[in-house]
């Protein structure tokens, strides 16, 4: 994760090279992701997630998908 920042609900994260998703939920410590137009899935490697934009940054950019 970027700079020790743990992803929060609504944050956009990179979970692979050029692959981005939004954190939709955190249940019992498990981070769930959703890509554009796809279903929700648990993050396979949560420690490898990099926060690319926070929820607040996405809202400010009017990009809440």
């Amino acid at each position: 994760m970027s700079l020790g920042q743990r992803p929060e609900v609504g944050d956009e994260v990179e979970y692979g090279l050029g692959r981005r998703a939004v954190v939709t939920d955190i249940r019992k410590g498990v981070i769930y992701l959703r890509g554009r137009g796809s279903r929700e899935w648990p993050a396979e490697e949560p420690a490898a997630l990099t926060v690319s934009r926070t929820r607040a940054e996405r809202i400010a950019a009017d990009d809440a998908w």
Side-chain angles (χ1 to χ4, degrees), residues 13-63:
V13 295
E14 188 167 325
Y15 63 95
L17 186 59
R19 302 189 76 160
R20 294 177 190 253
V22 172
V23 176
T24 59
D25 203 354
I26 302 173
R27 301 178 209 144
K28 296 182 181 179
V30 177
I31 297 172
Y32 285 81
L33 306 174
R34 182 183 309 270
R36 287 188 187 263
S38 54
R39 61 180 176 73
E40 185 179 70
W41 71 92
E44 291 180 20
E45 296 182 48
L49 297 175
T50 303
V51 176
S52 51
R53 291 187 302 165
T54 65
R55 178 177 183 266
E57 291 169 330
R58 291 180 55 241
I59 291 170
D62 196 26
D63 186 27

